[in-house]
Amino acid sequence: MLMDMFFIQSCVPIEKKLRIHFHSFMLDVHNKIHEIKKTIPKIYGARKPTPFDPLPLVADAICERLWLLCFDEFQVTDIADAMILKSLFTELFKRGVVMVTTSNRPPEDLYKHGLQRVNFLPFIAILKEHCESVSMDTGIDYRFLHGPTMQTYFVRDRWERDVDVELNAIFKRLASEQNDIARPRTYRIKGRDVTFRKTCGHILDTTFDELCARALGAADYLQISQSFDVVLLRDIPKMTLSIKPAARRFITLIDTLYDNKVRLVCSADVPHVQLFEASDSIDDDIEDRKLMDDLGIRRHETSKLSLFTGAEEVFAFTRVVSRLQQMQTEDYWKLRDSKYL
């Protein structure tokens, strides 16, 4: 809310400022890097390729459009992001860009226990040099004070009520307002075809497995947010560290839907405050073991790396629970459009 107020009330012309989720911004940065590298001619026969840094050109492209960047949820969990942030923001700050951001972590805790964090630490120094950190933590989660709430989160209780029947009725009502029929839909995203089995106009009826158990990411969830006003998400399980990849995708999904004010209707095995359970006794999953092999990391060396311990997921789920709470309120549903109320 504070970020919304600042962005709207700031005297900077609208075309010179941008408010965006940090994940979406970094996705755009990586796209720009890829496009710039494609324009560099290949030199055949050279013994050693000439080093080329695309980040100054990326910074130029950003600064041609704006000078005020407002980020939601500045967090670093991806090593590809972590390794370029110092160079990227050095170039942006050099060109006069002003950054205002929200984060659940102070600068010194960003990318905590991340892979190769020693290479990330210079970015923290750059951040502290150019930005003032202000703690807004009052110990109160104000999203839990929002009201009134709507019946948009259905739990399969011990009486085994058929929540699918209730979600089917919601889908039928919403679909009746669309100029479309229920059908599959395929999107071309980053050179891949991504198919959703049941859509109708601006309504997506899907499952946890369809969105989180397969290899989807921020770009796919952004496409969903841009294509659909309402998402019906069925069969959310209670998550543990044994399904970290799916849990990470769920976190990214909820962050993206929330940031784009997409309405969410859910069915789950447990209430949203009980969706994630951490356990120190979980064995390494197959993906973790493969990654340890690829990186040459031994089992005892993973005890402090958040990538393997699940510490980042535990931390992020506090935010997810808070957002799921707000997404059940009438005020949230009115943010995008009131036609579905």
Side-chain angles (χ1 to χ4, degrees):
M1 184 181 294
L2 283 176
M3 180 63 78
D4 289 337
M5 293 170 60
F6 170 78
F7 184 80
I8 293 170
Q9 296 298 325
S10 66
C11 60
V12 181
I14 190 66
E15 66 274 9
K16 290 296 180 180
K17 58 185 177 181
L18 175 68
R19 182 183 183 279
I20 189 172
H21 194 282
F22 184 69
H23 276 318
S24 298
F25 175 76
M26 291 308 299
L27 186 64
D28 186 52
V29 166
H30 287 294
N31 288 339
K32 283 184 170 66
I33 291 174
H34 178 68
E35 292 301 318
I36 289 172
K37 284 184 174 180
K38 288 197 302 185
T39 66
I40 304 302
K42 294 182 179 180
I43 303 177
Y44 296 97
R47 291 186 176 180
K48 189 176 182 181
T50 304
F52 172 71
D53 183 5
L55 291 175
L57 296 179
V58 172
D60 285 340
I62 293 171
C63 294
E64 282 178 5
R65 295 178 45 234
L66 52 89
W67 63 265
L68 175 61
L69 275 172
C70 297
F71 292 131
D72 281 318
E73 299 299 339
F74 196 112
Q75 57 173 330
V76 186
T77 58
D78 189 303
I79 188 172
D81 293 345
M83 294 302 102
I84 67 171
L85 282 174
K86 176 184 178 293
S87 296
L88 173 63
F89 277 89
T90 295
E91 297 295 335
L92 289 175
F93 289 141
K94 187 189 303 182
R95 289 161 175 75
V97 165
V98 174
M99 181 185 75
V100 179
T101 184
T102 62
S103 178
N104 285 336
R105 291 187 184 275
E108 56 270 16
D109 284 349
L110 289 171
Y111 199 51
K112 195 172 184 178
H113 303 314
L115 284 171
Q116 300 181 28
R117 190 172 189 259
V118 65
N119 296 325
F120 176 79
L121 294 178
F123 169 67
I124 296 178
I126 294 290
L127 200 59
K128 288 185 172 181
E129 179 183 349
H130 291 87
C131 301
E132 181 180 354
S133 180
V134 180
S135 174
M136 305 292 290
D137 185 12
T138 64
I140 300 172
D141 188 340
Y142 290 95
R143 292 189 181 109
F144 279 82
L145 303 181
H146 278 275
T149 60
M150 303 172 63
Q151 182 64 65
T152 58
Y153 190 100
F154 298 86
V155 180
R156 300 183 187 279
D157 55 30
R158 62 194 181 97
W159 300 111
E160 293 296 327
R161 65 171 172 166
D162 195 343
V163 297
D164 286 327
V165 171
E166 300 189 53
L167 264 67
N168 289 343
I170 293 174
F171 177 80
K172 185 176 181 179
R173 177 174 66 83
L174 296 177
S176 69
E177 302 171 4
Q178 303 293 310
N179 295 318
D180 198 359
I181 60 172
R183 59 187 174 90
R185 197 178 305 180
T186 299
Y187 291 93
R188 188 74 174 170
I189 306 173
K190 303 296 181 186
R192 301 151 37 245
D193 287 333
V194 179
T195 299
F196 303 108
R197 291 190 293 268
K198 187 177 181 182
T199 73
C200 183
H202 295 290
I203 315 299
L204 171 63
D205 189 352
T206 184
T207 65
F208 178 88
D209 282 349
E210 187 174 47
L211 293 192
C212 302
R214 58 175 174 162
L216 300 184
D220 306 299
Y221 301 143
L222 187 60
Q223 179 69 61
I224 290 172
S225 298
Q226 294 169 347
S227 302
F228 301 104
D229 293 328
V230 182
V231 172
L232 279 71
L233 182 60
R234 302 172 187 251
D235 305 326
I236 304 173
K238 185 179 183 70
M239 283 164 268
T240 66
L241 296 185
S242 63
I243 56 168
K244 283 201 301 291
R248 289 168 185 154
R249 294 184 193 109
F250 182 75
I251 291 167
T252 303
L253 170 66
I254 297 302
D255 281 344
T256 307
L257 297 182
Y258 178 88
D259 187 55
N260 289 277
K261 307 301 184 285
V262 177
R263 298 169 188 79
L264 182 66
V265 181
C266 301
S267 69
D269 291 341
V270 294
H272 64 291
V273 294
Q274 301 173 16
L275 274 177
F276 192 72
E277 181 179 272
S279 171
D280 295 332
S281 62
I282 297 294
D283 293 331
D284 301 324
D285 62 26
I286 294 175
E287 291 193 28
D288 280 355
R289 289 196 292 272
K290 287 180 179 178
L291 186 55
M292 282 187 276
D293 289 342
D294 291 342
L295 296 174
I297 296 175
R298 295 183 177 87
R299 177 68 185 89
H300 71 275
E301 297 173 321
T302 66
S303 60
K304 290 186 177 181
L305 294 177
S306 60
L307 179 64
F308 299 102
T309 64
E312 193 63 39
E313 287 76 20
V314 173
F315 185 87
F317 247 85
T318 303
R319 179 182 71 250
V320 168
V321 167
S322 177
R323 290 185 161 185
L324 285 172
Q325 176 71 26
Q326 187 177 354
M327 292 169 87
Q328 298 175 58
T329 64
E330 290 184 7
D331 287 343
Y332 176 84
W333 272 61
K334 291 176 182 176
L335 289 175
R336 187 148 170 161
D337 193 341
S338 61
K339 64 183 178 180
Y340 295 107
L341 287 174

